[in-house]
């Protein structure tokens, strides 16, 4: 069969609900437009590990996609293409595949030349990476190297610059609200503080918006360090006003107690993008609330229910929004390909679908506008000036 061209698609970074619907949207539209579609497995690792030998089994690196495969997968969460945090421009010697070890011998290697060779070997005319700013920053590198790239934004934190919405964010909000409301029964039964740690390395959207929707009394976010005594005072105040005598705070994983030099990490090991695994700030906040509570509660200590949501908000099937938006993003990507356009990031700005130069990915982190959306004195969202705001209140500007 003669194809118009070949499109490669991959998913990188953490899994989220909505990836498989995006893969389906790209594949179904592309096949009907006369293109061949290749699924690159394990993110950028698939283009590193591929061996250019027809006798070698490369099924762990690439597979041809057809409608029956993607139709079945689209009803599930995660990514059936699998994912990784491989960064071909900074690949440690210990992770080099055997066939590249003679070619690259430094402790940290830029194997982009091998990636470009494999893209040519596979006959890929257009590449569609789906990921956060780490994954997409390397996609932009390939664009600068001459590869035709159209990018789709994905991240639980909703922090890819240039777009109001990233795949996975809607389900993250839905699950956070559901789980916070579920955990209330235990907090209320025992008259405790409820401390819930949520995603958000640099941006506090995944804590601020659920708090706006009533999932918590207070929230602390990465954009500004918070005072522990201030939070304790507010939590005691909220608890004493509640008929069931409990109060709730959402804590972004990247939030810092005032005076901390850095975020809270689960260990010192870093991925290829230089990120250590975040976690533990919720436990610290819970411990501090318990110890400080007598000062603000007439000498009586208040116990804590402490929960880190973690993978509970990123596993399972996508919600309605993360089924519809990935469909639209996939078709937007195909529209650009059919126009012969590349180097673009599909996006939503102020509720309208569109696209923007991938160059935005190398810009500053997308973070919450504190002055506009966060009450620093009350440690909670602002609820005013919503006239003409987009669906999720805060846009990408």
């Amino acid at each position: 069969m003669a194809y118009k061209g070949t499109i490669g698609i991959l998913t990188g970074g953490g899994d989220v609900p909505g990836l498989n619907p995006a893969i389906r949207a790209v594949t179904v539209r592309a096949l009907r437009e006369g293109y061949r579609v290749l699924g690159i497995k394990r993110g950028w690792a698939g283009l590193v590990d591929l061996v250019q030998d027809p006798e070698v089994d490369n099924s762990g690196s690439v597979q041809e996609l057809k409608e029956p495969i993607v139709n079945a997968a689209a009803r599930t969460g995660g990514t059936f293409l699998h994912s990784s945090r491989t960064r071909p421009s900074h690949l440690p010697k210990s992770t080099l595949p055997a066939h590249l070890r003679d070619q690259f011998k430094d402790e940290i290697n830029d194997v982009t030349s091998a990636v470009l060779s494999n893209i040519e070997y596979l006959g890929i005319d257009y590449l569609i990476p789906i990921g956060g700013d780490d994954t997409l920053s390397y996609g932009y590198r390939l664009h600068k190297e001459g590869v035709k790239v159209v990018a789709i934004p994905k991240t639980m934190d909703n922090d890819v610059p240039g777009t109001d919405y990233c795949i996975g964010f809607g389900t993250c909000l839905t699950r956070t609200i559901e789980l916070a409301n579920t955990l209330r029964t235990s907090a209320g039964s025992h008259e405790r503080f409820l401390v819930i740690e949520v995603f958000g390395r640099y941006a506090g959207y995944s804590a601020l918006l659920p708090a706006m929707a009533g999932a918590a009394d207070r929230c602390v976010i990465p954009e500004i360090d918070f005072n522990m005594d201030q939070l304790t005072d507010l939590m005691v105040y909220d608890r004493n006003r509640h008929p069931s005598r409990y109060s709730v705070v959402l804590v972004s994983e990247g939030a810092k107690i005032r005076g901390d030099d850095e975020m809270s990490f689960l260990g010192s090991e870093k991925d290829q993008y230089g990120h250590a695994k975040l976690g533990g700030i919720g436990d610290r906040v819970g411990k501090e609330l318990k110890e400080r509570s007598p000062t603000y509660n007439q000498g009586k200590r208040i116990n804590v229910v402490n929960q880190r949501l973690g993978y509970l908000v990123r596993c399972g099937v996508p919600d309605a929004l993360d089924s519809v938006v990935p469909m639209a993003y996939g078709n937007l990507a195909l529209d650009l390909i059919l126009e012969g356009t590349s180097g673009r990031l599909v996006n939503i700005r102020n509720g309208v679908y569109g696209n923007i130069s991938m160059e935005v990915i190398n810009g500053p982190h997308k973070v919450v506008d504190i002055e506009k959306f966060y009450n620093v004195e009350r440690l909670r969202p602002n609820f005013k000036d919503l006239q003409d705001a987009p669906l999720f209140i805060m846009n990408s500007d």
Side-chain angles (χ1 to χ4, degrees):
M1 178 178 177
Y3 294 101
K4 291 182 180 178
T6 297
I7 296 171
I9 183 169
L10 62 84
T11 54
D15 67 297
V16 299
L19 290 171
N20 288 334
I23 296 166
R24 177 191 181 275
V26 169
T27 301
V28 170
R29 175 82 181 282
L31 292 176
R32 292 175 184 177
E33 295 287 351
Y35 285 82
R36 176 176 177 245
V37 182
L38 297 179
I40 309 301
K41 293 190 172 182
R42 297 175 294 110
W44 297 118
L47 289 173
V48 172
D49 296 344
L50 184 81
V51 179
Q52 295 183 22
D53 184 343
E55 300 300 320
V56 172
D57 180 9
N58 280 309
S59 60
S61 295
V62 64
Q63 73 175 109
E64 187 167 353
L65 301 183
K66 298 294 183 182
E67 284 198 37
I69 298 171
V70 297
N71 284 337
R75 297 187 286 271
T76 65
T79 167
F80 77 94
L81 291 178
H82 308 298
S83 188
S84 73
R85 297 189 185 278
T86 297
R87 187 183 187 187
S89 60
H90 294 71
L91 202 64
K93 183 178 181 180
S94 60
T95 63
L96 282 170
H99 68 283
L100 294 182
R101 288 173 191 164
D102 289 338
Q103 186 178 352
F104 301 97
K105 298 183 179 181
D106 294 333
E107 288 303 312
I108 301 295
N109 299 273
D110 183 351
V111 301
T112 298
S113 59
V115 170
L116 292 170
S117 178
N118 284 337
I119 289 172
E120 183 178 2
Y121 175 77
L122 292 171
I124 292 173
D125 299 291
Y126 273 89
L127 188 61
I128 302 179
I130 309 175
D133 51 2
D134 288 334
T135 298
L136 300 187
S137 65
Y138 187 71
Y140 181 65
R141 161 75 184 277
L142 292 182
H143 163 68
K144 299 293 284 184
E145 296 280 353
V147 179
K148 294 179 180 178
V149 180
V150 176
I152 296 178
K154 172 275 320 176
T155 171
M156 306 296 296
D157 299 355
N158 203 40
D159 61 353
V160 174
T163 182
D164 294 353
Y165 190 83
C166 303
I167 294 173
F169 184 55
T171 306
C172 176
L173 296 185
T174 299
R175 300 268 170 77
T176 299
I177 294 167
E178 288 176 350
L179 290 166
N181 289 336
T182 299
L183 288 163
R184 287 173 183 273
T185 61
S186 290
S189 295
H190 298 279
E191 302 175 85
R192 296 181 179 182
F193 293 139
L194 173 57
V195 179
I196 303 175
E197 182 179 322
V198 299
F199 283 113
R201 179 179 290 269
Y202 302 113
Y205 301 106
S206 53
L208 196 63
L209 277 163
M212 257 188 171
D217 302 291
R218 309 290 163 177
C219 65
V220 290
I221 58 179
E223 285 81 354
I224 185 167
D225 296 355
F226 66 96
N227 181 285
M228 198 64 234
D229 283 305
Q230 177 190 10
L231 176 61
T232 307
D233 189 13
L234 291 168
M235 290 288 285
V236 171
Y237 170 78
D238 295 331
R239 175 182 177 271
N240 290 339
R241 290 177 66 244
H242 198 288
S244 290
R245 294 181 62 77
Y246 75 91
S247 55
V248 185
V249 60
L250 293 178
V251 181
S252 296
E253 61 182 355
K256 292 193 299 180
I257 299 171
R258 192 169 299 165
D260 284 357
D261 293 328
E262 59 181 4
M263 301 172 187
S264 298
F265 301 102
L266 292 177
S268 58
E269 184 178 357
K270 295 183 179 181
D271 65 20
Q272 291 176 25
Y273 291 92
H275 302 313
K277 189 173 181 61
L278 286 173
I281 183 63
D283 291 334
R284 290 185 59 207
V285 168
K287 180 181 178 182
E288 292 287 343
L289 284 173
K290 183 177 179 178
E291 291 180 355
R292 296 172 191 243
S293 59
T295 303
Y296 303 94
N297 192 47
Q298 299 179 339
K300 297 178 181 179
R301 176 168 288 183
I302 301 171
N303 288 325
V304 177
V305 175
N306 206 307
Q307 183 68 55
R308 181 169 180 254
L309 296 188
Y311 285 93
L312 289 172
V313 300
R314 76 182 325 153
C315 63
V317 298
D319 68 2
L321 203 59
D322 278 325
S323 298
V324 173
V325 173
M327 173 279 301
Y329 277 174
N331 280 283
L332 285 167
L334 260 295
D335 287 340
L336 290 169
I337 289 173
L338 292 173
E339 294 169 4
T341 302
S342 63
R344 308 294 290 180
L345 172 76
V346 300
N347 70 350
I348 296 175
R349 296 290 295 274
N350 295 318
V352 178
Y353 286 106
N355 64 85
I356 191 171
S357 170
M358 284 184 69
E359 188 174 4
V360 72
I361 295 163
N362 282 355
H365 287 292
K366 173 187 163 188
V367 295
V368 172
D369 183 337
I370 292 292
E371 184 175 341
K372 189 173 182 180
F373 297 113
Y374 188 65
N375 188 326
V376 175
E377 297 301 318
R378 307 303 293 169
L379 300 181
R380 65 185 182 191
N382 284 326
F383 293 90
K384 59 183 180 179
D385 298 328
L386 301 185
Q387 179 71 30
D388 298 322
L391 177 64
F392 283 112
I393 312 302
M394 291 160 274
N395 61 24
S396 55
D397 296 328

